[in-house]
Amino acid sequence: MEKEELKMVNKGQEDEMELSGYRLCRWKLALVAVGVLCTGGFLLLLLYWMPEWCVKATCTRTTVRDAQVVLLRSTDEFKRWFRAKVRVMLAPGRNPYISLDSQTTTPMANGHTPHPSDTSADGFIRKYAEYQPVQIRYFTLHSTKYYWNDTIQNFEVLTGLEDIGVRCSTIHLEHSAGLRQDQQEYRRLFFGVNEIAVKVPSLFKLLIKEVLNPFYIFQLFSVILWSADEYYYYAMAIVLMSVISIATSLYTIKKQYVMLHDMVAAHSIVRVSVCRANDEIEEAMSTDLVPGDVMVIPSNGTIMPCDAVLISGTCIVNESMLTGESVPVTKTNLPNPSPAEKGAEDDQVYNMDEHKRHTLFCGTNVIQTRFYSGELVKAVVVRTGFSTAKGQLVRSILYPKPTDFKLYRDAYLFLLCLVGVAGIGFVYSIVLSIMNQVPAKTIIIESLDIVTITVPPALPAAMTAGIVYAQRRLKRLGIFCISPQRINICGQLNLICFDKTGTLTEDGLDLCCVHRVENGSFHHTEENAYKESLVKSHFVACMATCHSLTKIEGQLSGDPLDLKMFEATGWILEEATEEETSLHNRIMPTVVRPPKQLLPEPVMSPEQDMELYELPASYEIGIVRQFPFSSALQRMSVVARLLGEKRMDAYLKGAPEVVASLCKRETVPQDFAEVLEDYTKQGFRVIALAHRRLESKLTWHKVQNINRDHIETNMEFLGLIIMQNKLKAETPGVLEDLRRANIRTVMVTGDNMLTAISVARDCGMIPPQDRVIIADALPPKDGQAARINWRYADNPSKHASKAATLEEVEISVEDSPEERKPKEQYHFAMSGKSFAVITEHFQDLLQKLVLRGTVFARMAPDQKTQLVETLQSVDYFVGMCGDGANDCGALKRAHGGISLSELEASVASPFTSRTPNISCVPNLIREGRAALITSFCVFKFMALYSIIQYISVTLLYYILSNLGDFQFLFIDIAIILLIVFTMSLNPAWKELVSRRPPSGLISGPLLFSVMTQILICLGFQTLAFLWVRQESWYEPWTPVSDACNTSSHTNLSENFTEIDEHNIMNYENTTLFYVSSFQYLIVAIVFSKGKPFRQPSYKNWPFMLSVLSLYMFLLFIMLFPVPAIDYVLEIVCVPFKWRLTIVVIVVVNAAVSVLVETLVLDVVLWKLAFSRDKQGSYGVLPAAPPPQGGLDYCGSKHFSWLCCQRRRVPKARYMHLAQELSVDPDWPPKPKTTTEAKPPSLPENGSYQIMSTS
């Protein structure tokens, strides 16, 4: 049988998968059918849960080309398996982009029958019967179709026009006319209907999927077993719980599907005007659109049904659905290089990311269009359906990555251990029953019963309770959660990335002052430009014209920076109406003019008043052409004309360094760099302005077609606008709380590097005395290798002498705070460009840099996501807090993403805060920690509950007895469910402490806690069991036994003679029932931990009330028997002296349990485990010693004898790296040194070398 190596699909992308081909095998199918019958359908369930086993059990391996079934495995850390059926489609051609006319036509002899699922293909192929149909193989996975490509011998996804690498000029030349009807239908065979179809599954489908969960199957097995054992009451209780749990789960899932469906479907189907190849315009449904169609954008706006690139006209678009930024964006038409420039760099291959200024994205709202008279605003469809930007967002919500968390992995391991314990009990009960010649039916039921006792069926409900309560508490704090499982993970966060603008700082900018340049030198600073003396200056004209503002329903709208700048001039903006535009042969320009009161009014004679009154109104500037802001170019410019002037002016604004580089050298002040640095260090946002008088030969028509590079050159430097981005009032306090809690904070921003460093210092992210090292990376150029130039930002404090000791950053693990000498700390800062170079050429240096990287400036959205992934790769638990604007990817990828925006983009974030500041971050971490500790408490309690019951039943099996039905019921419902649902109610502790809870159940202290409590319970139950048998009054109980010497009980006992077939009533049973009932309450109190992560248990009044009520009830029925209760619980009468003995056993048991848990565990082991987890001990940006710091050092010092004396190797990779770097003499890099990437031929000693340069 032919085999081949694994194929890869989606190579290099987030959803990269390995693919292998299989063919159905008849004899394997027959074997599986027999196995399913023999196992009563259980094998079928197993194959349903395990796609890999299912494919390998029913198919044989074959080449991917001939496969009937494909098996895929994700290449990420989760290694998930998927299977998909390969289908066949008949089409007139293989390539959707070819013209049907160019196909070689071979008439068909007898027609054909297309694949039954392709009804649209059926009619289409009948229509084009002269074409020889070809079979196209494909499979569908996660709403994406993968087509077989003969050329690459693999399956691939067809996304849209980008597949064929079209150039900008080609889009204008070949794709601007539109498609013929037959071409559109042909392409639709491949791309399908243009719809993001979120199918809401029927309740029946959801029910089947939910019920087939392994745990519900186990519950079903338990219920059947209990019914066979006539234990109907608890079986009914579990059924009721399961029904409630399933109903709640179905309601939640259905609600989420409906919400997503409504969000997507609201505007997904609209009527559109489509241009056909014969110059006709026809109305069509948006579902009919395919890549290559040309749609007309209506002048009154629309919701985009697809991704399309503008080829004529201009659009104003609200992209909040994708970016979270509700500021309207101006989209211009795609540049069309002239034939002479076809070979030039201008004619780039169209790329959606690079040309997003010309791309209208699906789901975004086109508010207005600007057009020339007689020319429509047109856009070429690039992507449709799930391939669009909105489609990919919806797919990521529909098919999320699983949440990988140690707690859940450990929980499964723990359950496996319980299954192992159950196995021992299973064998023990079978052996014991056979030795005592018990009937086979009883042997089967009782031995299987042990399994259901050891693995508690109520565990999922118990674990969910704590998370539900935490979600409710978060909602009260104004934090909404769409992924409840993430709450526990938030308890582990030890690094938070913050976006700057709108998150740490206020959203809007305030104009602080203007700093004009006159005759090549800086003028003194002026508070504002609203002055009569400046009204006709180029500086104010630039401020009034160089922006992308527009009027929407009479209100000025646009970028907040542009808005503040324009408002500071006091000028008025007027736009031409649609009617005015259509009357002229060309677009009417937007006009700006100063208010009348600002224009100079020279003293004139009264007869000239009328003439003068009209003069000010004539000072108007029309904006002729706009080159929108480009983040890649870091600038925007406009061409404007003063009314009555022949020549036009070009105005430019942008990043100061960029603007200065485009100006004539003599116009830029010599102290430009110093002045700029001074402002940026103070945290100001600086914008530079420039102007140029254009040549008279540049007419209106030439300006409309000219390239911006011809305009943006030889400019005259006008000066600087200084904007202030104030810190939010809560920011410094919250960052200080996080610092005290040993949680690292990192800034990830799209803003300028020096501004970001300044804000980081202002808000306390970088303490005043710490150094900042800027890593300036340059890509390989002209044969030179990639390199990083290291330079220090400003001196942090007056103590410049400290610079000499910079490299001596000591990292200590076991020194006490007094012994630690204050060494200078350092932080790395880098820009997005440097980050990209380091990621590509210095892979092994990247992890060292992120260990101390605090400021990441000028970061693109995908780079923010990459940074989060890099931090996760060194074992940080990463939180991300952003305002939704271009943080979507990072918010989704982080362990805990918190969006401060309530816009639709927050659908990508697990958490959304109603409070628009970062005070939600410590709240979320506190609640996460409380929820995590609650999960541990509940899990430990449920484990102990099953083990205590297991011990009782195992001891009773020894005398062929068991617990009675109502005893089980009392324990399982009155004690366990009541305790579990109330012990989870402890609220979070008031403040963040400097230590984190452990991340998994398989940790020393937790295992020690569980094991010691198991041994204590085992010891006291065994003691009680053996002790009662040694009592002088003891004899095997019979209905006529009278250990209490009371005739009333004898009479009562006679009622039991006929029903006690299972030997429930005996002295051992009664003793163990009382002792075990108290043990459940003892471990509940012992495990219900409070400080430092949760409020103390005595503040949780439902829990305290439940425990005290149960204690009092048990003591009452034990010391003062009530015949009716004894009858129901099948308890026999024992002497009062023995009852007091049981009380003593219980009190001693409680004392030992509390002593071991609080003294040995909390004081000794817990302290040691946490001291290992402290970041400060490993020198990873330790804060000033936290309040608990001394105690932690003391703990690790005094109890080090419990562990090995040698230094512990930290588990977390970032701690391990910090230890390595602490002894590296070359780290951190010295100032004015360069790190060069080694050529690929010299990889032996790492990928870089450090060189000193003067």
Side-chain angles (χ1 to χ4, degrees):
M1 199 157 293
E2 192 183 352
K3 289 190 183 181
E4 61 180 347
E5 75 280 1
L6 290 172
K7 299 278 188 190
M8 298 290 273
V9 289
N10 306 328
K11 199 168 178 66
Q13 293 173 33
E14 200 181 358
D15 53 351
E16 182 181 83
M17 289 177 287
E18 294 171 349
L19 178 142
S20 45
Y22 287 84
R23 182 178 285 280
L24 286 168
C25 175
R26 285 181 184 173
W27 64 267
K28 281 190 176 184
L29 282 166
L31 273 179
V32 167
V34 172
V36 168
L37 288 171
C38 294
T39 56
F42 182 70
L43 180 62
L44 199 63
L45 273 173
L46 200 63
L47 297 180
Y48 169 77
W49 294 328
M50 312 288 283
E52 180 199 7
W53 292 9
C54 179
V55 172
K56 289 181 178 175
T58 55
C59 305
T60 51
R61 187 79 184 267
T62 183
T63 58
V64 174
R65 183 195 173 95
D66 303 320
Q68 293 174 318
V69 175
V70 288
L71 183 64
L72 301 107
R73 187 173 79 150
S74 64
T75 55
D76 55 19
E77 67 270 30
F78 304 109
K79 302 283 184 262
R80 290 168 298 158
W81 291 93
F82 307 101
R83 65 190 170 97
K85 188 180 175 185
V86 176
R87 299 179 180 277
V88 177
M89 172 179 88
L90 290 169
R94 291 192 184 281
N95 186 340
Y97 302 109
I98 57 162
S99 169
L100 282 175
D101 301 332
S102 63
Q103 287 279 90
T104 51
T105 59
T106 313
M108 290 169 55
N110 301 314
H112 63 280
T113 311
H115 193 275
S117 68
D118 300 304
T119 49
S120 60
D122 186 9
F124 181 70
I125 289 175
R126 239 183 268 118
K127 192 172 171 184
Y128 296 95
E130 70 273 12
Y131 297 107
Q132 176 64 51
V134 287
Q135 288 193 342
I136 295 167
R137 304 169 66 79
Y138 71 96
F139 68 88
T140 308
L141 181 72
H142 292 169
S143 304
T144 304
K145 277 187 179 178
Y146 294 80
Y147 290 95
W148 177 256
N149 185 329
D150 267 333
T151 314
I152 58 168
Q153 287 291 298
N154 197 358
F155 284 96
E156 64 172 358
V157 181
L158 294 177
T159 52
L161 274 191
E162 287 170 291
D163 294 340
I164 48 173
V166 284
R167 292 191 173 275
C168 296
S169 58
T170 314
I171 290 178
H172 281 282
L173 195 67
E174 295 174 16
H175 297 276
S176 57
L179 299 175
R180 296 195 311 274
Q181 187 75 38
D182 61 328
Q183 285 176 311
Q184 189 196 47
E185 287 176 8
Y186 173 53
R187 284 191 187 180
R188 205 177 309 130
L189 290 178
F190 292 88
F191 293 103
V193 174
N194 173 34
E195 190 179 15
I196 302 168
V198 178
K199 292 190 176 75
V200 179
S202 65
L203 274 174
F204 179 72
K205 268 188 182 176
L206 284 175
L207 178 69
I208 296 297
K209 200 174 177 183
E210 191 69 20
V211 167
L212 292 182
N213 180 308
F215 229 99
Y216 287 126
I217 297 295
F218 177 67
Q219 284 186 340
L220 181 68
F221 162 73
S222 304
V223 166
I224 292 166
L225 184 68
W226 293 329
S227 302
D229 198 18
E230 296 172 7
Y231 181 30
Y232 299 118
Y233 303 103
Y234 188 57
M236 282 166 62
I238 284 289
V239 166
L240 187 68
M241 270 173 54
S242 298
V243 166
I244 292 169
S245 173
I246 289 170
T248 312
S249 182
L250 287 186
Y251 172 75
T252 311
I253 294 168
K254 181 91 173 174
K255 189 178 167 189
Q256 282 178 345
Y257 268 113
V258 170
M259 271 174 63
L260 189 60
H261 176 269
D262 291 349
M263 186 192 99
V264 172
H267 307 287
S268 63
I269 301 174
V270 290
R271 289 201 72 80
V272 290
S273 300
V274 180
C275 299
R276 286 279 166 247
N278 52 8
D279 291 337
E280 283 181 13
I281 292 175
E282 65 176 49
E283 290 281 308
M285 295 306 292
S286 59
T287 46
D288 294 337
L289 292 173
V290 294
D293 265 331
V294 174
M295 64 179 286
V296 177
I297 313 291
S299 57
N300 58 346
T302 182
I303 301 279
M304 285 301 294
C306 57
D307 288 350
V309 59
L310 263 181
I311 52 168
S312 65
T314 311
C315 291
I316 295 159
V317 186
N318 182 335
E319 292 190 325
S320 64
M321 204 291 298
L322 290 178
T323 62
E325 197 74 86
S326 56
V327 174
V329 182
T330 303
K331 302 278 184 173
T332 56
N333 57 337
L334 188 72
N336 182 14
S338 60
E341 297 170 328
K342 284 288 159 70
E345 288 179 17
D346 297 333
D347 195 14
Q348 299 170 333
V349 171
Y350 172 74
N351 178 295
M352 200 173 273
D353 292 327
E354 286 175 26
H355 294 97
K356 62 182 176 191
R357 279 281 167 192
H358 315 293
T359 306
L360 304 170
F361 292 102
C362 178
T364 58
N365 186 2
V366 178
I367 304 165
Q368 279 183 10
T369 61
R370 300 277 173 81
F371 55 92
Y372 307 111
S373 181
E375 192 173 343
L376 298 166
V377 178
K378 294 179 188 175
V380 177
V381 177
V382 181
R383 291 183 181 186
T384 57
F386 276 101
S387 298
T388 61
K390 184 180 179 182
Q392 285 168 348
L393 179 68
V394 172
R395 268 186 68 218
S396 69
I397 299 165
L398 278 175
Y399 312 104
K401 276 192 174 182
T403 310
D404 181 41
F405 189 41
K406 203 166 181 290
L407 171 69
Y408 303 123
R409 280 179 283 144
D410 288 356
Y412 285 116
L413 278 174
F414 211 88
L415 279 176
L416 281 175
C417 295
L418 289 179
V419 169
V421 172
I424 297 165
F426 182 75
V427 174
Y428 161 82
S429 64
I430 290 176
V431 171
L432 206 63
S433 301
I434 291 171
M435 284 168 64
N436 290 287
Q437 298 175 340
V438 175
K441 183 193 171 190
T442 313
I443 292 176
I444 292 166
I445 287 173
E446 291 197 344
S447 53
L448 288 173
D449 204 22
I450 280 269
V451 177
T452 65
I453 286 167
T454 320
V455 184
L459 184 63
M463 292 291 280
T464 307
I467 292 172
V468 169
Y469 296 148
Q471 197 173 356
R472 219 164 57 192
R473 287 196 298 271
L474 282 173
K475 198 171 180 180
R476 282 202 293 270
L477 291 168
I479 299 170
F480 297 92
C481 171
I482 59 167
S483 179
Q485 297 301 324
R486 298 263 185 143
I487 297 173
N488 275 342
I489 303 176
C490 288
Q492 278 295 306
L493 297 181
N494 56 356
L495 185 147
I496 312 288
C497 296
F498 290 101
D499 179 40
K500 184 179 78 70
T501 313
T503 303
L504 296 172
T505 60
E506 295 290 352
D507 218 344
L509 287 157
D510 294 318
L511 189 115
C512 182
C513 61
V514 295
H515 207 160
R516 293 185 301 116
V517 167
E518 285 182 0
N519 304 321
S521 61
F522 280 112
H523 197 255
H524 61 83
T525 56
E526 293 156 293
E527 272 190 35
N528 60 49
Y530 189 77
K531 289 182 180 173
E532 201 176 287
S533 59
L534 295 179
V535 72
K536 291 192 176 182
S537 67
H538 284 304
F539 190 91
V540 170
C542 186
M543 286 175 72
T545 56
C546 197
H547 52 71
S548 55
L549 300 177
T550 184
K551 275 197 171 174
I552 295 170
E553 293 174 1
Q555 287 289 311
L556 266 182
S557 184
D559 186 274
L561 187 145
D562 286 353
L563 212 51
K564 283 281 179 195
M565 184 182 75
F566 184 74
E567 283 170 359
T569 63
W571 284 39
I572 297 152
L573 181 138
E574 288 177 354
E575 286 182 334
T577 60
E578 282 180 41
E579 292 77 25
E580 286 175 321
T581 308
S582 58
L583 289 172
H584 295 76
N585 290 329
R586 60 178 185 227
I587 193 165
M588 283 290 285
T590 297
V591 170
V592 290
R593 57 182 173 79
K596 291 176 184 130
Q597 61 267 32
L598 272 187
L599 286 168
E601 291 191 28
V603 181
M604 293 277 176
S605 56
E607 60 270 18
Q608 289 180 298
D609 278 356
M610 201 61 200
E611 192 184 332
L612 256 179
Y613 181 73
E614 289 168 7
L615 179 67
S618 68
Y619 191 82
E620 291 181 354
I621 301 175
I623 301 167
V624 178
R625 173 98 195 262
Q626 191 185 86
F627 297 102
F629 176 78
S630 158
S631 50
L633 300 173
Q634 296 183 322
R635 63 181 187 262
M636 82 161 287
S637 59
V638 291
V639 175
R641 175 188 271 159
L642 180 64
L643 201 67
E645 283 281 333
K646 285 265 188 347
R647 289 167 72 178
M648 298 188 196
D649 295 277
Y651 293 105
L652 171 78
K653 83 165 195 293
E657 306 92 335
V658 175
V659 173
S661 69
L662 298 171
C663 291
K664 296 173 190 166
R665 187 169 291 178
E666 64 272 14
T667 65
V668 180
Q670 289 191 336
D671 58 346
F672 165 77
E674 293 82 51
V675 171
L676 175 63
E677 195 170 341
D678 190 44
Y679 280 126
T680 50
K681 277 179 190 169
Q682 292 175 59
F684 291 116
R685 177 93 178 263
V686 185
I687 306 292
L689 306 182
H691 159 259
R692 177 181 152 211
R693 197 82 193 267
L694 296 178
E695 303 82 13
S696 53
K697 64 176 183 180
L698 274 177
T699 60
W700 188 91
H701 279 292
K702 282 182 180 172
V703 165
Q704 294 307 321
N705 298 310
I706 200 167
N707 192 298
R708 69 188 294 170
D709 293 342
H710 296 304
I711 299 287
E712 297 167 350
T713 182
N714 284 329
M715 310 288 280
E716 286 178 21
F717 195 77
L718 293 177
L720 305 172
I721 298 175
I722 317 302
M723 314 285 276
Q724 192 173 12
N725 195 198
K726 289 176 186 164
L727 278 179
K728 288 185 179 176
E730 303 80 7
T731 298
V734 170
L735 292 179
E736 178 59 26
D737 289 348
L738 294 173
R739 194 175 69 85
R740 276 205 302 267
N742 269 323
I743 293 169
R744 249 188 83 188
T745 51
V746 169
M747 186 191 292
V748 195
T749 176
D751 208 342
N752 170 287
M753 167 81 77
L754 291 171
T755 305
I757 292 172
S758 167
V759 171
R761 283 205 187 278
D762 289 349
C763 66
M765 202 177 268
I766 299 174
Q769 69 279 8
D770 289 6
R771 279 271 183 202
V772 177
I773 305 170
I774 296 174
D776 198 2
L778 303 167
K781 196 176 182 185
D782 303 331
Q784 285 190 326
R787 55 174 55 206
I788 305 172
N789 297 322
W790 306 98
R791 57 191 173 90
Y792 287 2
D794 59 319
N795 284 338
S797 57
K798 306 291 175 227
H799 315 298
S801 58
K802 277 192 181 179
T805 60
L806 179 74
E807 62 274 14
E808 300 168 35
V809 180
E810 190 164 304
I811 294 174
S812 162
V813 179
E814 297 195 15
D815 291 349
S816 68
E818 304 86 62
E819 295 165 340
R820 299 174 88 200
K821 292 169 188 167
K823 295 289 178 185
E824 195 170 46
Q825 295 296 331
Y826 62 92
H827 304 254
F828 286 114
M830 68 187 79
S831 66
K833 284 179 183 173
S834 296
F835 181 77
V837 173
I838 292 166
T839 307
E840 190 177 347
H841 300 283
F842 299 89
Q843 195 60 49
D844 45 354
L845 192 62
L846 182 63
Q847 292 190 338
K848 295 178 184 179
L849 286 172
V850 296
L851 199 65
R852 293 277 186 167
T854 303
V855 174
F856 295 85
R858 296 277 188 231
M859 295 286 274
D862 58 326
Q863 288 178 325
K864 291 185 180 185
T865 312
Q866 277 179 318
L867 176 64
V868 168
E869 287 171 347
T870 308
L871 289 164
Q872 287 171 335
S873 73
V874 288
D875 297 340
Y876 274 113
F877 281 88
V878 183
M880 171 77 198
C881 182
D883 60 352
N886 60 29
D887 299 319
C888 290
L891 287 168
K892 206 162 51 183
R893 194 72 194 96
H895 290 108
I898 317 156
S899 167
L900 302 185
S901 151
E902 286 189 63
L903 293 155
E904 285 177 330
S906 63
V907 90
S909 172
F911 300 95
T912 304
S913 171
R914 192 175 271 171
T915 326
N917 61 58
I918 63 168
S919 60
C920 59
V921 175
N923 286 338
L924 179 63
I925 298 172
R926 282 189 307 107
E927 287 298 345
R929 288 178 173 186
L932 189 55
I933 290 295
T934 299
S935 294
F936 287 142
C937 294
V938 169
F939 205 95
K940 283 160 67 180
F941 175 69
M942 291 301 283
L944 257 292
Y945 144 62
S946 57
I947 295 292
I948 291 169
Q949 202 168 75
Y950 173 77
I951 293 166
S952 305
V953 170
T954 311
L955 288 169
L956 289 173
Y957 273 12
Y958 183 72
I959 57 163
L960 300 182
S961 179
N962 200 346
L963 291 172
D965 283 3
F966 278 97
Q967 289 175 338
F968 271 126
L969 202 64
F970 175 75
I971 291 167
D972 292 345
I973 291 177
I975 299 181
I976 303 306
L977 292 186
L978 194 60
I979 294 297
V980 155
F981 289 123
T982 56
M983 83 186 298
S984 306
L985 285 168
N986 288 36
W989 186 244
K990 305 186 282 288
E991 58 193 45
L992 274 178
V993 294
S994 65
R995 57 195 208 194
R996 291 184 296 140
S999 58
L1001 287 162
I1002 313 295
S1003 65
L1006 286 169
L1007 286 178
F1008 176 83
S1009 168
V1010 171
M1011 293 312 295
T1012 50
Q1013 295 301 330
I1014 287 174
L1015 292 172
I1016 291 165
C1017 293
L1018 174 66
F1020 281 98
Q1021 276 203 52
T1022 311
L1023 173 71
F1025 180 77
L1026 296 174
W1027 195 342
V1028 71
R1029 293 168 72 93
Q1030 302 304 316
E1031 286 294 297
S1032 55
W1033 49 264
Y1034 176 82
E1035 60 175 13
W1037 188 87
T1038 62
V1040 291
S1041 297
D1042 188 17
C1044 300
N1045 299 318
T1046 55
S1047 54
S1048 64
H1049 267 273
T1050 310
N1051 296 336
L1052 181 71
S1053 302
E1054 285 167 6
N1055 298 329
F1056 290 114
T1057 48
E1058 56 196 3
I1059 57 168
D1060 193 19
E1061 301 165 3
H1062 299 291
N1063 186 24
I1064 302 296
M1065 298 181 65
N1066 52 60
Y1067 300 122
E1068 293 92 337
N1069 169 290
T1070 301
T1071 302
L1072 288 183
F1073 171 71
Y1074 282 133
V1075 171
S1076 65
S1077 294
F1078 279 110
Q1079 281 182 339
Y1080 299 124
L1081 297 175
I1082 290 164
V1083 294
I1085 287 173
V1086 163
F1087 286 159
S1088 193
K1089 292 271 169 50
K1091 207 175 159 188
F1093 303 115
R1094 304 199 304 167
Q1095 298 278 7
S1097 290
Y1098 61 77
K1099 288 193 176 180
N1100 179 356
W1101 65 265
F1103 174 68
M1104 293 310 293
L1105 191 68
S1106 306
V1107 171
L1108 290 172
S1109 306
L1110 286 165
Y1111 264 125
M1112 287 162 68
F1113 175 76
L1114 284 168
L1115 280 170
F1116 178 75
I1117 64 167
M1118 190 167 78
L1119 298 175
F1120 309 101
V1122 179
I1125 293 174
D1126 286 1
Y1127 172 74
V1128 172
L1129 292 176
E1130 300 179 67
I1131 293 169
V1132 300
C1133 186
V1134 291
F1136 189 75
K1137 186 186 170 191
W1138 179 244
R1139 292 168 192 270
L1140 291 176
T1141 308
I1142 293 174
V1143 172
V1144 172
I1145 290 171
V1146 166
V1147 169
V1148 176
N1149 184 346
V1152 173
S1153 287
V1154 170
L1155 194 73
V1156 168
E1157 185 75 13
T1158 53
L1159 184 72
V1160 180
L1161 184 79
D1162 286 2
V1163 179
V1164 184
L1165 288 174
W1166 200 263
K1167 195 60 67 184
L1168 275 176
F1170 280 131
S1171 67
R1172 291 185 66 165
D1173 201 31
K1174 279 186 53 85
Q1175 294 176 14
S1177 310
Y1178 296 96
V1180 184
L1181 283 182
Q1188 294 85 350
L1191 192 63
D1192 281 336
Y1193 279 106
C1194 168
S1196 63
K1197 201 87 172 162
H1198 286 89
F1199 298 113
S1200 58
W1201 52 271
L1202 275 172
C1203 300
C1204 311
Q1205 283 299 315
R1206 62 190 174 81
R1207 273 195 167 188
R1208 296 184 297 267
V1209 176
K1211 284 183 185 174
R1213 184 154 167 68
Y1214 67 87
M1215 292 180 178
H1216 192 67
L1217 269 171
Q1219 272 191 353
E1220 281 179 14
L1221 294 177
S1222 68
V1223 293
D1224 185 347
D1226 293 327
W1227 196 262
K1230 311 292 183 293
K1232 296 181 182 174
T1233 57
T1234 299
T1235 302
E1236 257 195 19
K1238 284 188 180 177
S1241 56
L1242 303 166
E1244 52 274 2
N1245 296 318
S1247 66
Y1248 60 88
Q1249 57 187 5
I1250 296 175
M1251 306 181 307
S1252 194
T1253 54
S1254 53

